[in-house]
Amino acid sequence: MTDLANIIASVVVAGGVAAGGVLAEETGAPAPRTALVIDAAAGNDGRELLDPRLREVDADVRLARTAAEARTDVRYFAALGYRVVVTGPQTSAAARAAGIAAVRAPDLVAALAAAGR
């Protein structure tokens, strides 16, 4: 798929996610849970193995150390119906390769914002 096609697909997915949230509020159905799947290097904070902000987010968090872990994590959460937010080249590539409609955040700050909706 070309870059333009990826951009268009991302916009369509984002619109669908937003519409789904509105519909969930209107129908009283609970919004889907959110999962953050982050490249391990992006989720660290200096000497800390886990950035402290990730401990406080209302989402399931996975730090993928390898491409195989990233693939497993994004597929697992997508299969459970989670709203998946990915950060980092490994997790973004894993979501793209699996055809998962994940929200792609460029960094940890954006991922935390996306988790908060």
Side-chain angles (χ1 to χ4, degrees):
M1 205 180 327
T2 67
D3 288 339
L4 179 59
N6 285 335
I7 292 168
I8 292 170
S10 295
V11 169
V12 170
V13 168
V17 169
V22 169
L23 291 175
E25 288 177 14
E26 290 177 0
T27 63
R33 290 199 36 89
T34 299
L36 298 178
V37 183
I38 302 169
D39 284 10
N44 296 2
D45 182 31
R47 294 173 52 153
E48 296 288 323
L49 293 177
L50 183 68
D51 188 299
R53 295 172 292 182
L54 290 171
R55 291 187 176 101
E56 307 202 3
V57 68
D58 184 25
D60 287 25
V61 177
R62 296 294 185 276
L63 297 181
R65 296 171 294 179
T66 66
E69 282 183 9
R71 284 189 303 273
T72 299
D73 292 339
V74 296
R75 287 180 179 156
Y76 172 76
F77 285 118
L80 292 177
Y82 278 60
R83 179 176 165 267
V84 179
V85 178
V86 296
T87 301
Q90 285 186 143
T91 56
S92 294
R96 192 171 34 257
I100 293 168
V103 176
R104 288 171 180 80
D107 55 27
L108 184 58
V109 172
L112 292 167
R117 296 177 205 200

